[in-house]
Amino acid sequence: GAALTNSRPEFMRHFVGPQMIATMERHEMWTHSIVGIAPMATSAILTNNLSVSFVTFAGGIVFGLGTFFYLYVNGMMLGVIAAACHQYGMSIALWSFVAPHGSLELPSILIAGAAGLRLGHAMLFPGALRWKDSIARGGIEATQLVSGIIPLLIIAGCLEGFFSPSQAPIWLKFTVGGLLFTLLNLWLFRPVKAPADTLD
């Protein structure tokens, strides 16, 4: 998305509406309107983020193809908007907005995608298991992944509604994003002890 937009700026019009382009031409962030209606916006953001994640996960039902499609669309959109903002000299404004909540939201969508692909993998490659047993096992593992991102999306939604579009200093927004992303990785990659009865 970024490469196509950089080489052909008119490509952005397939993903970005004229109102958003007009806002960028004025060097204004389209997110400023969130601040005045933060509680209502937060509810809408939470609903949208959960919907995107669950749809990305559910796409695994069609042998993972739906998951690939939704990951492609979201990735393309992010690349296009990033390149468009760069062309209008708004990269810092964009990434200072994305950093606080995106540090949790973007990994959550990727984890939801991983869950969908796990389900698709179980359908396509059952191995020594019967097909229905493979799907059952893959479904359990995929559901566990998706369940884990719900609290992350709630935190990300609150940040996106109240903190990300605020007038907080840019350095603070990047610091919050970096800290949350670091804590997320420490949690994801923490050492897990095996149950005592399996150590033998």
Side-chain angles (χ1 to χ4, degrees), residues 19 49 197:
Q19 185 175 357
N49 291 346
D197 57 352

Side-chain angles (χ1 to χ4, degrees), residues 6 13 32 48 72 77 79 111 126 136 144 147 157 164 168 190 200:
N6 283 327
R13 299 183 184 276
H32 288 166
N48 178 70
Y72 162 79
M77 178 69 77
I111 292 171
Q144 290 173 337
S147 299
S164 295
R190 70 194 186 283
D200 55 350

Side-chain angles (χ1 to χ4, degrees), residues 96 99-100 163 166-180:
S96 64
F163 182 68
S166 72
Q167 296 300 316
I170 291 175
W171 66 265
L172 180 59
K173 292 184 178 182
F174 281 114
T175 300
V176 170
L179 179 61
L180 288 174

